Amino acid sequence: MPSVPTRIPHVRFPKDARPPLSILILAGFVRSIDWSETLWAADLAHALAARGHKVEVAADGCDDPALFAGLPLIVHRPNRRHFGAEPFLFRYWARGLLRARPDSVCLSLTPLFCGDVWLPLGARANEVVARILAERSPVSAAMELVHHPWLLHELLAERRAAKDTPRRRVQPLTIGPHAEKSSLRSLGYAARAQPLRGLERETARREVRAALGLNETDRVFLLSGTHATDVTAANLLQALAMLERVATPSRILSSNDAAPSAQPRLRLIVTGRYPHLLNSLARDANCAHSLVFAGTRVSIPRLLAASDIAIAGFGQTGLGTGRFACEAIRAGVPLLAAQHAPGSDLVDSGMHKPGEIIRDDTREGWLAAMGKILDDRWMTEARAAAGSVGPDLTVARLTERLESYLLGALR
């Protein structure tokens, strides 16, 4: 399925009494891959400009400058690649930019430099090191760290950033969840992609299902496999195999469905970077026939239109911005979320919940949640709850909250 770039509409918000600001946005290396948290740099820059502010973006590197089309953009190292960090050189450059712009408020989106408002995006160096040490043997970890020679420099630079004295007042922030005892304050959640509605959604549902070989009466899960881990994936796929054994055609069909031209089935659309891992685990669970691999760079709004339930199964506490969870709820699709997946708290609050949280990461725990796809009443109620929660999960609302911190930094 071809990649469809996600674009945030350039909508002009109503002006209020707040004065426009001169905002310098500092970013590290901005990657254009769909799952990169650094894409928030482009989203926030465009959204702040749409609110009437004078926005200038300064990035250490960027693999697609078109992300910032229409905005002043300074790229420190145009030929930089993802694995080419020079944190202290970047800090020296960033300090020079701030000195040259005494009237601008600085929004820093990198953990390497503290701005007037600080919204560090992406994994910290200490988190990368901890993950390498936890997932590998000592010898393997040492070899892996050799291939990341900049990590030590990033660790030192991030510690320096934490001790920086901002020109005004710093407010460390985050998008989505934050780790326990973290000093970061959450701005809340937002979906980057706009959901499809009405006829556009119906057309996308029909086209995507046809392209993926899915029948209209199939019950379809959509799994975000970008950060897949083997234990959770194995439990989830074993649950799918168990569910298939009890999901007879009569149980899959809704009472409103007409007589099908083909037998209804359970299907799991998979996106992400680990198709081989998931396919291998599906074979072990005897459900490989139910997986449909959609690819890596795909249109999530179109896949959500074609799906009945979304699954956010992977993630660590305090990491990620919960973008997939938000986009599912915004699209009115019920969400099944593992307890530590980013955005899981969106389905675990309030009287009317747009999904289910899986606290027991076993095949039985996943089976209980995934079985909801056969419950028409639950599906209807979860869709309605998603419709009530979704309107607040927008970049526009998140930008309004961020704007208040930018204004506060000037007081």
Side-chain angles (χ1 to χ4, degrees), residues 309-325:
I309 282 184
I311 302 177
F314 312 107
Q316 302 177 40
T317 302
L319 299 182
T321 60
R323 193 166 61 199
F324 176 76

Side-chain angles (χ1 to χ4, degrees), residues 289-365:
H289 58 276
S290 297
L291 269 63
V292 181
F293 292 95
T296 304
R297 305 199 68 172
V298 293
S299 168
I300 293 298
R302 287 176 62 82
L303 289 179
L304 285 168
S307 305
D308 300 301
I309 282 184
I311 302 177
F314 312 107
Q316 302 177 40
T317 302
L319 299 182
T321 60
R323 193 166 61 199
F324 176 76
C326 290
E327 290 174 356
I329 293 172
R330 282 272 292 159
V333 177
L335 177 71
L336 305 180
Q339 185 170 5
H340 298 304
S344 62
D345 49 322
L346 291 171
V347 299
D348 196 37
S349 60
M351 294 292 293
H352 304 287
K353 300 181 180 180
E356 188 87 3
I357 192 167
I358 295 87
R359 303 183 189 280
D360 180 18
D361 187 9
T362 63
R363 62 180 185 177
E364 291 78 16

Side-chain angles (χ1 to χ4, degrees), residues 367-392:
L367 176 61
M370 295 174 72
K372 301 289 188 182
I373 202 170
L374 305 179
D375 185 340
D376 290 337
R377 180 177 177 180
W378 183 89
M379 292 285 290
T380 299
E381 292 176 350
R383 289 191 193 104
S388 65
V389 174
D392 191 51

Side-chain angles (χ1 to χ4, degrees), residues 18-82:
R18 293 179 172 181
L21 303 174
S22 292
I23 302 172
L24 173 66
I25 296 180
L26 281 177
F29 184 71
V30 181
R31 305 183 71 189
S32 62
I33 55 175
D34 299 339
W35 56 85
S36 174
E37 290 184 27
T38 58
L39 285 176
W40 283 110
D43 297 339
L44 295 175
H46 285 293
L48 286 166
R51 293 183 65 81
H53 301 295
K54 180 182 177 182
V55 176
E56 182 181 20
V57 181
D60 191 36
C62 180
D63 59 14
D64 184 9
L67 291 168
F68 299 95
L71 295 173
L73 173 65
I74 307 171
V75 180
H76 181 215
R77 292 187 291 151
N79 296 321
R80 183 197 154 167
R81 296 294 178 262
H82 175 47

